[in-house]
Amino acid sequence: MRATCQCGQLVAEITGETDQIVACHCRACQKRSGSPFGVLAYFPAGAVTLSGEARDFARAGASGAAFVNHFSPTCGATVWCDTPFKPDAIGIPVGAFADPGYPAPVRSVWEETRHDWVAIPGAIPHFPRGRS
């Protein structure tokens, strides 16, 4: 499986399946994604090979640990995220796969800041706040 930025120079090659897919409605994910929520598919770090030039932006997550976005300095698109809170996992924005058949989220978090018109359907767990 391959995820890329808009210009294609920053790449994540993934072997294996995702551990989880999470829709996050926190304001930081809204700003990171430029949309009402962000969706990340998490993979074991050993299953992800990264290539290309990346820039990093770190912010404090709800746990207090840094949450780091890695993005292309050319087009600005985030291709992966990581945090020392979960050192063995790498999050890949689902949109970076550019696959409309990609599986749906398994949970929805930080719904207290969810836009009123957004509905994440299905029998998945919904959490007002984040969940580790």
Side-chain angles (χ1 to χ4, degrees):
M1 207 172 352
R2 181 179 171 102
T4 68
C5 63
Q6 293 180 89
C7 68
Q9 73 84 24
L10 190 56
V11 178
E13 294 281 352
I14 299 102
T15 57
E17 299 299 317
T18 178
D19 287 311
Q20 59 184 318
I21 303 168
V22 179
C24 181
H25 305 272
C26 79
R27 288 199 165 80
C29 280
Q30 290 173 18
K31 289 179 182 247
R32 176 192 57 78
S33 68
S35 66
F37 56 94
V39 181
L40 293 174
Y42 287 91
F43 297 89
V48 181
T49 302
L50 306 165
S51 62
E53 181 185 359
R55 294 285 186 270
D56 302 338
F57 173 74
R59 63 171 174 82
S63 68
F67 187 89
V68 186
N69 302 314
H70 303 270
F71 58 93
S72 166
T74 303
C75 68
T78 298
V79 175
W80 78 91
C81 303
D82 56 48
T83 176
F85 183 66
K86 294 186 178 195
D88 298 327
I90 292 179
I92 308 288
V94 169
F97 292 110
D99 176 1
Y102 204 84
V106 297
R107 73 175 190 247
S108 179
V109 299
W110 291 102
E111 289 193 340
E112 69 184 16
T113 50
R114 176 183 56 81
H115 289 224
D116 289 339
W117 55 268
V118 170
I120 304 290
I124 65 170
H126 295 265
F127 298 94
R129 295 191 177 270
R131 177 178 161 213
S132 53

